Amino acid sequence: MSGTDAASGAWLRIALVQMCAGRDVEANVAAVEHQIRDAGRQGARYVLTPEVTTLMETDRERMLAAAQVEAESVALARFRSLARDLGLYLHIGSMAVRLSADRLANRSFLIRPDGEIAARYDKIHMFDITLGNGEVYEESRSYAPGGEAVVVQMPWGRLGLTICYDLRFPQLFRALAQAGAGIIAVPAAFTRTTGEAHWHALLRARAIEAQCFILAAAQGGHHETGRQTFGHSLVVSPWGEILAEAGVEPSVTVCDLDLARIQQVRDLVPSLRHDRPFEITVVAGGNADDRSGVAR
């Protein structure tokens, strides 16, 4: 089934590109172009790639050297040409864009079928984490956080934009849904450690809470830098059902979305309309000197 406008059939064919990006921008762009063309041949009208599509790099100096300002980005120009050539909406999950000599943006680009950029989104929440296995990530060292959430009016409805670590902030997803988003994109590069523990649970929870389709295109595999990402690109329905799932290897996952399902779920459980104001009160639950129930 090929995609049609919501008003004339309520179906949309989408594709998630899963890749294992390396340290060579040109090689990454060539590889993902092949996958995007495959998605186009399968009838996808909207194609989403993962976070850091053009470069997976842990060395700050190499990353800064490889990044270009948006206006001069050879990769972005190639993606715009590709969207125009295939006549589809191409959503580059994110790529590093130079803001200054020592600062980048982790920026998502939604490109229209005519090759023009419909929307940009800079990742809001920075992944500054030390995992129990010794892995350390300090995204804010190189990237400037964004400060604006983005919802895009598409031919078939509204699309909310997020990137990876944003997934752990449900207030963002609720705000996007209450701004009219019925689909939310989550391009990601989850570590294997956090992915094994939380990927499925978080994506299903965000879909249920926001009553949206969640489209999560992921990096997957063992990268040149030594980093391991979880893969398992997912499509989740507004009811929390997993509609499609990739493995760990590079792949193209195509899925048909029944867009009527969004309103069906929201009518069944109208929780997005049930927010109530409240205050938080912290009360004393016992004597501070009473430690009888505390393990020693």
Side-chain angles (χ1 to χ4, degrees), residues 1 18 26 42 55 73 84-85 92 108 117 140 161 167 172 220 222 245 272-273 279-280 290:
M1 180 182 299
Q18 181 165 295
E26 186 174 345
Q42 295 187 60
L55 181 70
S73 173
R84 187 167 51 247
D85 183 32
I92 301 303
S108 180
I117 297 171
S140 63
L161 309 187
L167 180 59
L172 173 59
H222 198 128
E245 179 173 358
L272 290 173
R273 304 199 304 266
E279 296 180 357
I280 296 178
D290 179 9

Side-chain angles (χ1 to χ4, degrees), residues 58-138:
T58 54
D59 183 276
R60 185 171 185 270
E61 295 309 314
R62 291 179 64 162
M63 183 164 54
L64 289 168
Q68 297 177 299
V69 297
E70 180 181 319
E72 299 173 0
S73 173
V74 174
L76 182 58
R78 190 162 166 183
F79 290 138
R80 293 179 63 183
S81 177
L82 181 60
R84 187 167 51 247
D85 183 32
L86 298 177
L88 50 74
Y89 282 89
L90 178 54
H91 187 172
I92 301 303
S94 88
M95 48 190 283
V97 174
R98 179 180 292 280
L99 300 178
S100 66
D102 62 352
R103 210 72 168 152
L104 306 172
N106 191 349
R107 182 169 296 169
S108 180
F109 292 94
L110 178 63
I111 305 169
R112 298 193 317 231
D114 62 3
E116 294 302 309
I117 297 171
R120 300 164 176 82
Y121 167 70
D122 288 357
K123 185 176 181 180
I124 293 173
H125 300 98
M126 298 288 96
F127 189 55
D128 293 343
I129 296 290
T130 300
L131 299 175
N133 62 4
E135 292 179 82
V136 178
Y137 300 90
E138 295 179 309

Side-chain angles (χ1 to χ4, degrees), residues 34-285:
H34 178 78
Q35 293 174 289
I36 293 164
R37 289 188 179 277
D38 183 20
R41 283 191 293 270
Q42 295 187 60
R45 290 186 63 199
Y46 166 89
V47 180
L48 175 65
T49 71
E51 183 182 28
V52 292
T53 290
T54 55
L55 181 70
M56 175 66 78
E57 182 56 77
T58 54
D59 183 276
R60 185 171 185 270
E61 295 309 314
R62 291 179 64 162
M63 183 164 54
L64 289 168
Q68 297 177 299
V69 297
E70 180 181 319
E72 299 173 0
S73 173
V74 174
L76 182 58
R78 190 162 166 183
F79 290 138
R80 293 179 63 183
S81 177
L82 181 60
R84 187 167 51 247
D85 183 32
L86 298 177
L88 50 74
Y89 282 89
L90 178 54
H91 187 172
I92 301 303
S94 88
M95 48 190 283
V97 174
R98 179 180 292 280
L99 300 178
S100 66
D102 62 352
R103 210 72 168 152
L104 306 172
N106 191 349
R107 182 169 296 169
S108 180
F109 292 94
L110 178 63
I111 305 169
R112 298 193 317 231
D114 62 3
E116 294 302 309
I117 297 171
R120 300 164 176 82
Y121 167 70
D122 288 357
K123 185 176 181 180
I124 293 173
H125 300 98
M126 298 288 96
F127 189 55
D128 293 343
I129 296 290
T130 300
L131 299 175
N133 62 4
E135 292 179 82
V136 178
Y137 300 90
E138 295 179 309
E139 200 167 43
S140 63
R141 240 184 112 228
S142 302
Y143 291 101
E148 183 179 9
V150 177
V151 174
V152 190
Q153 182 66 55
M154 304 288 275
W156 50 81
R158 291 185 180 179
L159 171 71
L161 309 187
T162 74
I163 299 174
C164 201
Y165 190 52
D166 288 333
L167 180 59
R168 294 186 181 272
F169 299 85
Q171 66 273 24
L172 173 59
F173 285 72
R174 190 169 190 83
L176 294 172
Q178 290 177 328
I183 301 173
I184 298 177
V186 190
F190 254 56
T191 70
R192 190 176 73 174
T193 301
T194 56
E196 288 175 346
H198 300 147
W199 178 247
H200 291 79
L202 286 171
L203 288 168
R204 293 189 65 206
R206 295 299 88 84
I208 293 166
E209 294 161 353
Q211 299 178 317
C212 289
F213 284 102
I214 298 291
L215 311 182
Q219 295 280 353
H222 198 128
H223 301 266
E224 286 181 274
T225 60
R227 180 177 177 181
Q228 294 185 66
T229 50
F230 184 61
H232 293 273
S233 298
L234 286 183
V235 179
V236 187
S237 81
W239 195 245
E241 306 147 306
I242 294 176
L243 302 180
E245 179 173 358
V248 179
E249 300 302 316
S251 61
V252 175
T253 300
V254 175
C255 186
D256 292 317
L257 308 185
D258 178 3
L259 300 178
R261 188 65 174 143
I262 301 165
Q263 196 57 51
Q264 290 169 0
V265 169
R266 293 180 179 185
D267 288 343
L268 184 62
V269 184
S271 58
L272 290 173
R273 304 199 304 266
H274 288 169
D275 284 319
R276 296 277 301 164
F278 58 86
E279 296 180 357
I280 296 178
T281 302
V282 178
V283 300

